[in-house]
Amino acid sequence: LAALAALSVSASLSGQTPAPTIEQAKPRVVDPAAEADLPPSFVADDELQKLADSDVAAARPLLRRTARSSPSTVSRALAVRLLGTRDPGTATARICARALRVDIEPVVRRAAAECVGRLGPDVGGPHTPELVAALLDSNLDVITMAGWALANVGDAASIGALATLTHHNDERVARLFIGYAERMRARLGLMYEAKPEETVEHDDKGNRLVPSGIVLTTQAHGLDLAAS
């Protein structure tokens, strides 16, 4: 009887519809070199400002990416300024110096010069060559900001480049660079003899003429000693 019962159950089971099966997809092999890069993510300028103000460590990657490659000129300039004021350091100095060299927009190059000039001589000083090169920029705002930055962080040899611009055609620019050169001289502790005031030349209207750049460039040797 038991055998008949088992045979009956087996027969009834054989008449049932088989349960559906799920076919497993084959794993896809991804070649990283063949995958397209995701577009870089950026945020609005006001959000970038808030992130930098609240937590610069968390915002640092976004600030650096924006400064290097944002399609927005305003965003790049903002990111460069924020890096200079919120995240001073050697990485920021390199990013700003690069922007000063290669960015096509004057407003970004000006912000980059300001950034380097705010970092202090120890951090910004190694990028003196970029600042000196910026004195030949086609944009006057970039030139004057580079001069300001050199006065703050430039090494001794750059006094000659500042002195050259004391002969600028625009008297206002010439006076700015006289001030920049004097500030660099004071920062590096150079003492030198200037012409007595009574022998300084004046024009026919009584205005004091711009002093000769030679007077300033003769400081270079003393600046080297002061900086060493």
Side-chain angles (χ1 to χ4, degrees):
L1 290 174
L4 288 174
L7 183 61
S8 174
V9 171
S10 175
S12 63
L13 289 175
S14 63
Q16 291 180 354
T17 305
T21 59
I22 299 175
E23 185 178 352
Q24 297 292 331
K26 294 181 180 180
R28 178 169 172 255
V29 178
V30 177
D31 179 7
E35 286 289 293
D37 292 333
L38 293 175
S41 58
F42 302 104
V43 299
D45 293 346
D46 56 348
E47 184 66 21
L48 190 66
Q49 178 81 56
K50 291 177 183 177
L51 287 171
D53 291 341
S54 61
D55 187 356
V56 70
R60 184 178 292 126
L62 181 59
L63 286 170
R64 292 176 177 176
R65 182 165 63 247
T66 302
R68 288 191 298 257
S69 56
S70 172
S72 167
T73 299
V74 175
S75 295
R76 292 199 307 278
L78 174 62
V80 164
R81 286 194 298 269
L82 289 174
L83 284 170
T85 56
R86 305 290 195 278
D87 191 31
T90 55
T92 289
R94 290 194 299 270
I95 291 170
C96 292
R98 176 185 178 276
L100 183 57
R101 289 195 315 270
V102 306
D103 201 285
I104 62 172
E105 296 296 340
V107 66
V108 180
R109 297 198 301 274
R110 183 189 186 280
E114 180 181 356
C115 169
V116 175
R118 290 187 181 280
L119 297 177
D122 291 340
V123 178
H127 299 283
T128 296
E130 286 90 339
L131 293 173
V132 171
L135 296 179
L136 301 176
D137 197 276
S138 59
N139 183 274
L140 186 56
D141 283 343
V142 177
I143 292 171
T144 54
M145 185 55 72
W148 174 86
L150 282 169
N152 292 343
V153 305
D155 61 28
S158 60
I159 186 70
L162 289 180
T164 299
L165 284 167
T166 63
H167 290 293
H168 196 277
N169 294 333
D170 188 327
E171 182 183 353
R172 296 167 299 177
V173 176
R175 291 189 181 192
L176 275 178
F177 277 88
I178 291 171
Y180 294 155
E182 286 295 318
R183 193 157 79 238
M184 176 182 279
R185 180 192 65 79
R187 174 170 63 84
L188 295 176
L190 174 69
M191 300 300 295
Y192 73 102
E193 285 191 20
K195 294 166 62 177
E197 183 64 30
E198 60 270 18
T199 64
V200 173
E201 298 175 357
H202 295 76
D203 62 16
D204 54 0
K205 298 180 181 178
N207 295 319
R208 190 174 186 269
L209 294 176
V210 175
S212 170
I214 296 175
V215 174
L216 293 176
T217 54
T218 54
Q219 302 176 32
H221 178 64
L223 283 167
D224 284 328
L225 295 177
S228 62

